mmCIF file of all heavy atoms in Angstrom:
data_model
loop_
_atom_site.group_PDB
_atom_site.id
_atom_site.type_symbol
_atom_site.label_atom_id
_atom_site.label_comp_id
_atom_site.label_asym_id
_atom_site.label_seq_id
_atom_site.Cartn_x
_atom_site.Cartn_y
_atom_site.Cartn_z
ATOM 1 N N LEU A 109 37.755 -32.334 6.675
ATOM 2 C CA LEU A 109 36.892 -32.305 7.904
ATOM 3 C C LEU A 109 35.738 -33.242 7.757
ATOM 4 O O LEU A 109 34.949 -33.179 6.782
ATOM 5 C CB LEU A 109 36.444 -30.878 8.135
ATOM 6 C CG LEU A 109 37.556 -29.847 8.352
ATOM 7 C CD1 LEU A 109 36.964 -28.441 8.544
ATOM 8 C CD2 LEU A 109 38.400 -30.207 9.553
ATOM 9 N N PRO A 110 35.484 -34.060 8.769
ATOM 10 C CA PRO A 110 34.286 -34.890 8.778
ATOM 11 C C PRO A 110 33.065 -34.157 9.337
ATOM 12 O O PRO A 110 33.179 -33.056 9.859
ATOM 13 C CB PRO A 110 34.704 -36.051 9.714
ATOM 14 C CG PRO A 110 35.613 -35.380 10.681
ATOM 15 C CD PRO A 110 36.320 -34.305 9.899
ATOM 16 N N GLY A 111 31.919 -34.786 9.187
ATOM 17 C CA GLY A 111 30.687 -34.293 9.880
ATOM 18 C C GLY A 111 29.913 -33.223 9.175
ATOM 19 O O GLY A 111 29.259 -32.398 9.832
ATOM 20 N N ASN A 112 30.000 -33.206 7.837
ATOM 21 C CA ASN A 112 29.327 -32.141 7.077
ATOM 22 C C ASN A 112 28.079 -32.658 6.360
ATOM 23 O O ASN A 112 27.928 -33.796 6.064
ATOM 24 C CB ASN A 112 30.317 -31.520 6.070
ATOM 25 C CG ASN A 112 31.515 -30.989 6.737
ATOM 26 O OD1 ASN A 112 31.506 -29.949 7.359
ATOM 27 N ND2 ASN A 112 32.678 -31.753 6.600
ATOM 28 N N ALA A 113 27.200 -31.705 6.018
ATOM 29 C CA ALA A 113 25.998 -31.997 5.223
ATOM 30 C C ALA A 113 25.982 -31.104 4.016
ATOM 31 O O ALA A 113 26.253 -29.867 4.162
ATOM 32 C CB ALA A 113 24.733 -31.769 6.046
ATOM 33 N N VAL A 114 25.787 -31.669 2.835
ATOM 34 C CA VAL A 114 25.760 -30.906 1.600
ATOM 35 C C VAL A 114 24.462 -31.108 0.885
ATOM 36 O O VAL A 114 24.065 -32.211 0.577
ATOM 37 C CB VAL A 114 26.898 -31.306 0.691
ATOM 38 C CG1 VAL A 114 26.913 -30.498 -0.601
ATOM 39 C CG2 VAL A 114 28.298 -31.127 1.388
ATOM 40 N N ALA A 115 23.683 -30.048 0.669
ATOM 41 C CA ALA A 115 22.432 -30.084 -0.067
ATOM 42 C C ALA A 115 22.617 -29.444 -1.452
ATOM 43 O O ALA A 115 23.225 -28.404 -1.555
ATOM 44 C CB ALA A 115 21.384 -29.341 0.673
ATOM 45 N N VAL A 116 22.102 -30.169 -2.462
ATOM 46 C CA VAL A 116 22.210 -29.696 -3.862
ATOM 47 C C VAL A 116 21.046 -28.791 -4.200
ATOM 48 O O VAL A 116 19.877 -29.154 -3.973
ATOM 49 C CB VAL A 116 22.229 -30.907 -4.824
ATOM 50 C CG1 VAL A 116 22.530 -30.409 -6.204
ATOM 51 C CG2 VAL A 116 23.300 -31.933 -4.377
ATOM 52 N N THR A 224 27.663 -20.348 10.364
ATOM 53 C CA THR A 224 27.223 -21.728 10.543
ATOM 54 C C THR A 224 26.671 -22.389 9.313
ATOM 55 O O THR A 224 26.607 -23.601 9.196
ATOM 56 C CB THR A 224 26.133 -21.858 11.665
ATOM 57 O OG1 THR A 224 25.026 -21.022 11.320
ATOM 58 C CG2 THR A 224 26.704 -21.314 12.971
ATOM 59 N N VAL A 225 26.149 -21.632 8.328
ATOM 60 C CA VAL A 225 25.621 -22.202 7.084
ATOM 61 C C VAL A 225 26.279 -21.474 5.974
ATOM 62 O O VAL A 225 26.364 -20.275 5.910
ATOM 63 C CB VAL A 225 24.052 -22.102 7.044
ATOM 64 C CG1 VAL A 225 23.602 -20.637 7.204
ATOM 65 C CG2 VAL A 225 23.549 -22.690 5.729
ATOM 66 N N GLY A 226 26.789 -22.234 4.976
ATOM 67 C CA GLY A 226 27.430 -21.688 3.826
ATOM 68 C C GLY A 226 26.801 -22.096 2.535
ATOM 69 O O GLY A 226 26.199 -23.125 2.395
ATOM 70 N N PHE A 227 27.009 -21.255 1.517
ATOM 71 C CA PHE A 227 26.565 -21.551 0.174
ATOM 72 C C PHE A 227 27.698 -21.284 -0.766
ATOM 73 O O PHE A 227 28.378 -20.282 -0.668
ATOM 74 C CB PHE A 227 25.380 -20.656 -0.230
ATOM 75 C CG PHE A 227 24.114 -20.842 0.540
ATOM 76 C CD1 PHE A 227 23.976 -20.263 1.803
ATOM 77 C CD2 PHE A 227 23.103 -21.665 0.051
ATOM 78 C CE1 PHE A 227 22.814 -20.417 2.547
ATOM 79 C CE2 PHE A 227 21.957 -21.818 0.796
ATOM 80 C CZ PHE A 227 21.791 -21.214 2.062
ATOM 81 N N PHE A 252 25.224 -25.054 -3.818
ATOM 82 C CA PHE A 252 25.204 -26.038 -2.687
ATOM 83 C C PHE A 252 25.097 -25.363 -1.356
ATOM 84 O O PHE A 252 25.826 -24.352 -1.088
ATOM 85 C CB PHE A 252 26.531 -26.850 -2.806
ATOM 86 C CG PHE A 252 26.653 -27.627 -4.073
ATOM 87 C CD1 PHE A 252 27.230 -27.016 -5.197
ATOM 88 C CD2 PHE A 252 26.180 -28.918 -4.189
ATOM 89 C CE1 PHE A 252 27.299 -27.654 -6.407
ATOM 90 C CE2 PHE A 252 26.283 -29.576 -5.409
ATOM 91 C CZ PHE A 252 26.833 -28.984 -6.539
ATOM 92 N N ARG A 253 24.201 -25.897 -0.473
ATOM 93 C CA ARG A 253 24.141 -25.382 0.880
ATOM 94 C C ARG A 253 24.943 -26.355 1.740
ATOM 95 O O ARG A 253 24.773 -27.566 1.699
ATOM 96 C CB ARG A 253 22.659 -25.313 1.370
ATOM 97 C CG ARG A 253 22.569 -24.735 2.811
ATOM 98 C CD ARG A 253 21.097 -24.651 3.185
ATOM 99 N NE ARG A 253 20.431 -25.943 3.200
ATOM 100 C CZ ARG A 253 19.318 -26.231 2.477
ATOM 101 N NH1 ARG A 253 18.764 -25.228 1.748
ATOM 102 N NH2 ARG A 253 18.779 -27.386 2.492
ATOM 103 N N ILE A 254 25.824 -25.848 2.578
ATOM 104 C CA ILE A 254 26.730 -26.606 3.346
ATOM 105 C C ILE A 254 26.569 -26.302 4.783
ATOM 106 O O ILE A 254 26.547 -25.115 5.226
ATOM 107 C CB ILE A 254 28.183 -26.394 2.903
ATOM 108 C CG1 ILE A 254 28.320 -26.723 1.417
ATOM 109 C CG2 ILE A 254 29.150 -27.214 3.702
ATOM 110 C CD1 ILE A 254 29.699 -26.398 0.811
ATOM 111 N N ASN A 255 26.500 -27.346 5.675
ATOM 112 C CA ASN A 255 26.538 -27.200 7.131
ATOM 113 C C ASN A 255 27.625 -28.054 7.641
ATOM 114 O O ASN A 255 27.952 -29.093 7.067
ATOM 115 C CB ASN A 255 25.207 -27.583 7.706
ATOM 116 C CG ASN A 255 24.053 -26.655 7.283
ATOM 117 O OD1 ASN A 255 23.415 -26.863 6.275
ATOM 118 N ND2 ASN A 255 23.801 -25.636 8.084
ATOM 119 N N GLY A 256 28.158 -27.693 8.807
ATOM 120 C CA GLY A 256 29.166 -28.524 9.423
ATOM 121 C C GLY A 256 30.535 -27.801 9.535
ATOM 122 O O GLY A 256 30.631 -26.614 9.126
ATOM 123 N N PRO A 257 31.545 -28.506 10.027
ATOM 124 C CA PRO A 257 32.842 -27.869 10.282
ATOM 125 C C PRO A 257 33.466 -27.217 9.054
ATOM 126 O O PRO A 257 34.230 -26.210 9.201
ATOM 127 C CB PRO A 257 33.719 -29.078 10.730
ATOM 128 C CG PRO A 257 32.728 -30.014 11.342
ATOM 129 C CD PRO A 257 31.502 -29.863 10.502
ATOM 130 N N VAL A 258 33.162 -27.682 7.836
ATOM 131 C CA VAL A 258 33.850 -27.115 6.634
ATOM 132 C C VAL A 258 33.327 -25.720 6.328
ATOM 133 O O VAL A 258 33.990 -25.016 5.494
ATOM 134 C CB VAL A 258 33.689 -28.066 5.423
ATOM 135 C CG1 VAL A 258 32.285 -27.908 4.797
ATOM 136 C CG2 VAL A 258 34.793 -27.820 4.393
ATOM 137 N N VAL A 259 32.222 -25.307 6.947
ATOM 138 C CA VAL A 259 31.747 -23.968 6.646
ATOM 139 C C VAL A 259 32.857 -22.971 7.106
ATOM 140 O O VAL A 259 32.923 -21.857 6.541
ATOM 141 C CB VAL A 259 30.424 -23.692 7.424
ATOM 142 C CG1 VAL A 259 30.014 -22.217 7.394
ATOM 143 C CG2 VAL A 259 29.315 -24.580 6.888
ATOM 144 N N LEU A 262 34.861 -21.736 4.188
ATOM 145 C CA LEU A 262 34.153 -20.685 3.442
ATOM 146 C C LEU A 262 34.374 -19.370 4.083
ATOM 147 O O LEU A 262 34.693 -18.331 3.447
ATOM 148 C CB LEU A 262 32.685 -20.972 3.212
ATOM 149 C CG LEU A 262 32.267 -21.954 2.176
ATOM 150 C CD1 LEU A 262 32.640 -23.403 2.573
ATOM 151 C CD2 LEU A 262 30.787 -21.893 1.911
ATOM 152 N N PRO A 288 29.419 -27.738 15.194
ATOM 153 C CA PRO A 288 29.244 -29.166 15.455
ATOM 154 C C PRO A 288 29.048 -29.986 14.154
ATOM 155 O O PRO A 288 28.694 -29.427 13.122
ATOM 156 C CB PRO A 288 27.961 -29.180 16.277
ATOM 157 C CG PRO A 288 27.178 -27.955 15.839
ATOM 158 C CD PRO A 288 28.244 -26.925 15.531
ATOM 159 N N ARG A 289 29.336 -31.263 14.297
ATOM 160 C CA ARG A 289 29.078 -32.130 13.153
ATOM 161 C C ARG A 289 27.565 -32.285 12.883
ATOM 162 O O ARG A 289 26.793 -32.288 13.838
ATOM 163 C CB ARG A 289 29.751 -33.508 13.399
ATOM 164 C CG ARG A 289 31.174 -33.430 13.693
ATOM 165 C CD ARG A 289 31.796 -34.838 13.832
ATOM 166 N NE ARG A 289 33.217 -34.743 14.367
ATOM 167 C CZ ARG A 289 34.005 -35.735 14.342
ATOM 168 N NH1 ARG A 289 33.575 -36.976 13.989
ATOM 169 N NH2 ARG A 289 35.221 -35.650 14.831
ATOM 170 N N CYS A 290 27.199 -32.423 11.642
ATOM 171 C CA CYS A 290 25.769 -32.506 11.334
ATOM 172 C C CYS A 290 25.526 -33.369 10.131
ATOM 173 O O CYS A 290 24.416 -33.361 9.600
ATOM 174 C CB CYS A 290 25.163 -31.148 11.105
ATOM 175 S SG CYS A 290 25.934 -30.243 9.803
ATOM 176 N N GLY A 291 26.469 -34.236 9.735
ATOM 177 C CA GLY A 291 26.292 -35.080 8.522
ATOM 178 C C GLY A 291 27.431 -36.018 8.383
ATOM 179 O O GLY A 291 28.259 -36.149 9.302
ATOM 180 N N ASP A 292 27.452 -36.723 7.271
ATOM 181 C CA ASP A 292 28.414 -37.802 7.031
ATOM 182 C C ASP A 292 29.406 -37.475 5.899
ATOM 183 O O ASP A 292 30.094 -38.418 5.430
ATOM 184 C CB ASP A 292 27.713 -39.104 6.696
ATOM 185 C CG ASP A 292 26.836 -39.572 7.861
ATOM 186 O OD1 ASP A 292 27.251 -39.466 8.983
ATOM 187 O OD2 ASP A 292 25.665 -40.049 7.573
ATOM 188 N N VAL A 293 29.447 -36.257 5.472
ATOM 189 C CA VAL A 293 30.294 -35.912 4.356
ATOM 190 C C VAL A 293 31.638 -35.406 4.803
ATOM 191 O O VAL A 293 31.739 -34.565 5.673
ATOM 192 C CB VAL A 293 29.628 -34.802 3.421
ATOM 193 C CG1 VAL A 293 30.489 -34.429 2.261
ATOM 194 C CG2 VAL A 293 28.286 -35.317 2.940
ATOM 195 N N LEU A 294 32.716 -36.070 4.325
ATOM 196 C CA LEU A 294 34.058 -35.531 4.446
ATOM 197 C C LEU A 294 34.288 -34.408 3.434
ATOM 198 O O LEU A 294 34.008 -34.620 2.262
ATOM 199 C CB LEU A 294 35.104 -36.583 4.242
ATOM 200 C CG LEU A 294 35.168 -37.742 5.268
ATOM 201 C CD1 LEU A 294 35.999 -38.871 4.712
ATOM 202 C CD2 LEU A 294 35.777 -37.234 6.557
ATOM 203 N N ALA A 295 34.737 -33.257 3.882
ATOM 204 C CA ALA A 295 34.818 -32.148 2.945
ATOM 205 C C ALA A 295 36.016 -31.219 3.279
ATOM 206 O O ALA A 295 36.483 -31.150 4.410
ATOM 207 C CB ALA A 295 33.486 -31.307 2.913
ATOM 208 N N LEU A 404 33.097 -29.323 -6.399
ATOM 209 C CA LEU A 404 32.043 -28.329 -6.710
ATOM 210 C C LEU A 404 32.549 -26.937 -6.366
ATOM 211 O O LEU A 404 33.335 -26.743 -5.477
ATOM 212 C CB LEU A 404 30.743 -28.700 -5.986
ATOM 213 C CG LEU A 404 30.890 -28.919 -4.455
ATOM 214 C CD1 LEU A 404 30.465 -27.688 -3.620
ATOM 215 C CD2 LEU A 404 30.101 -30.143 -4.048
ATOM 216 N N VAL A 422 35.021 -26.909 -3.334
ATOM 217 C CA VAL A 422 34.961 -27.816 -2.216
ATOM 218 C C VAL A 422 35.091 -29.248 -2.778
ATOM 219 O O VAL A 422 34.433 -29.572 -3.742
ATOM 220 C CB VAL A 422 33.645 -27.681 -1.436
ATOM 221 C CG1 VAL A 422 33.507 -28.748 -0.405
ATOM 222 C CG2 VAL A 422 33.564 -26.267 -0.742
ATOM 223 N N ALA A 424 34.330 -33.180 -1.740
ATOM 224 C CA ALA A 424 33.476 -33.867 -0.848
ATOM 225 C C ALA A 424 33.489 -35.386 -1.132
ATOM 226 O O ALA A 424 33.387 -35.808 -2.262
ATOM 227 C CB ALA A 424 32.052 -33.378 -0.973
ATOM 228 N N TYR A 425 33.677 -36.152 -0.045
ATOM 229 C CA TYR A 425 33.702 -37.657 -0.148
ATOM 230 C C TYR A 425 32.485 -38.183 0.538
ATOM 231 O O TYR A 425 32.302 -38.052 1.797
ATOM 232 C CB TYR A 425 34.934 -38.202 0.563
ATOM 233 C CG TYR A 425 36.250 -37.738 0.016
ATOM 234 C CD1 TYR A 425 36.825 -36.478 0.304
ATOM 235 C CD2 TYR A 425 37.040 -38.578 -0.794
ATOM 236 C CE1 TYR A 425 38.035 -36.060 -0.128
ATOM 237 C CE2 TYR A 425 38.306 -38.177 -1.275
ATOM 238 C CZ TYR A 425 38.751 -36.933 -0.995
ATOM 239 O OH TYR A 425 39.956 -36.519 -1.408
ATOM 240 N N ASN A 426 31.599 -38.799 -0.212
ATOM 241 C CA ASN A 426 30.386 -39.423 0.368
ATOM 242 C C ASN A 426 29.628 -40.154 -0.701
ATOM 243 O O ASN A 426 29.312 -39.575 -1.775
ATOM 244 C CB ASN A 426 29.517 -38.350 1.033
ATOM 245 C CG ASN A 426 28.286 -38.939 1.691
ATOM 246 O OD1 ASN A 426 27.203 -38.980 1.103
ATOM 247 N ND2 ASN A 426 28.389 -39.386 2.941
ATOM 248 N N LEU A 429 25.911 -38.667 -1.384
ATOM 249 C CA LEU A 429 26.004 -37.432 -2.148
ATOM 250 C C LEU A 429 26.458 -37.758 -3.554
ATOM 251 O O LEU A 429 25.869 -37.275 -4.544
ATOM 252 C CB LEU A 429 26.939 -36.500 -1.454
ATOM 253 C CG LEU A 429 27.205 -35.190 -2.155
ATOM 254 C CD1 LEU A 429 25.954 -34.374 -2.351
ATOM 255 C CD2 LEU A 429 28.311 -34.406 -1.483
#
Side-chain angles (χ1 to χ4, degrees):
L109 300 176
N112 302 286
V114 178
V116 185
T224 60
V225 57
F227 295 82
F252 300 85
R253 182 178 60 237
I254 302 174
N255 295 87
V258 80
V259 173
L262 280 71
R289 303 184 189 190
C290 59
D292 299 320
V293 178
L294 291 167
L404 51 101
V422 172
Y425 300 78
N426 182 266
L429 174 65

